[in-house]
Amino acid sequence: MATVIRAARPEDVHDILQLIIDLATYEKEPESVKATPELLRKNLFETPYAHALLAFAGNTEKPVGIALYFFNYSTWTGRPGLYLEDLYVKPECRGKGLGKMLFAELAKIAQEKNCARLDWSVLKWNQPSIDFYEKSLHATPMSEWLGMRLEESGIENLKKIVSP
């Protein structure tokens, strides 16, 4: 199977959105997708807060995989890091090396940008992905860290903490 990994382009936004919906469905939360083609176009291409790689397998015109990432910063290393927000390969294309190829391209980007780390999160119930990360990539679980989040209402409530 001939595979191509390439950076996403503005004309890919509808395919990117479909892959995001597919991922959310796999993660049992399709109703959580709020992304739109307009938001993707704005935040991936006009003011690039994030970036995406797309995987194409065989003669497919539509992408069958995505890696969506952004850069962060480590105060301890004094260098940038690459954070993989989402990686998804369509079920019928899994087990063919696409995930490894997406990670290899991410590694290349991380090295070009002098990143000290490549980080990501995985849902605790997603054992197939955990196995892939640990066995194939030799990734280290970060069990001493707990993810924290504020949604939009929580961000809004922060104003009330210091305002009279």
Side-chain angles (χ1 to χ4, degrees):
M1 168 172 54
T3 303
V4 173
I5 306 291
R6 69 161 171 80
R9 302 174 188 144
E11 59 268 22
D12 296 320
V13 294
H14 292 284
D15 293 330
I16 293 168
L17 181 55
Q18 186 57 58
L19 288 165
I20 291 169
I21 292 167
D22 292 350
L23 170 63
T25 301
Y26 174 74
E27 292 183 350
K28 302 173 179 72
E29 292 198 45
E31 70 284 349
S32 295
V33 176
K34 307 293 185 248
T36 65
E38 296 75 28
L39 286 170
L40 292 172
R41 190 171 289 106
K42 177 182 177 191
N43 293 308
L44 291 175
F45 303 106
E46 293 171 15
T47 306
Y49 292 113
H51 311 275
L53 297 173
L54 297 175
F56 296 83
N59 297 335
T60 60
E61 291 183 25
K62 298 274 188 194
V64 298
I66 187 169
L68 202 136
Y69 65 96
F70 58 88
F71 296 97
N72 56 22
Y73 184 79
S74 167
T75 54
W76 287 14
T77 68
R79 293 169 47 199
L82 189 152
Y83 189 85
L84 174 61
E85 178 64 25
D86 284 312
L87 186 135
Y88 178 75
V89 174
K90 288 183 172 272
E92 64 272 17
C93 296
R94 293 181 188 155
K96 298 178 175 147
L98 292 171
K100 287 179 186 175
M101 293 175 80
L102 285 164
F103 266 100
E105 191 63 27
L106 290 168
K108 191 163 93 174
I109 293 166
Q111 288 180 324
E112 288 170 1
K113 299 290 186 181
N114 194 31
C115 295
R117 299 178 178 146
L118 194 166
D119 291 308
W120 67 94
S121 298
V122 59
L123 290 166
K124 291 179 182 180
W125 60 259
N126 192 348
Q127 197 60 49
S129 292
I130 294 168
D131 291 344
F132 168 70
Y133 299 145
E134 291 181 346
K135 294 174 184 163
S136 294
L137 303 182
H138 307 288
T140 305
M142 303 276 296
S143 59
E144 70 277 10
W145 291 88
L146 179 64
M148 304 296 288
R149 172 179 295 156
L150 286 174
E151 301 272 346
E152 288 182 73
S153 63
I155 294 168
E156 180 66 27
N157 286 338
L158 286 177
K159 290 192 240 175
K160 298 175 187 171
I161 292 175
V162 293
S163 298

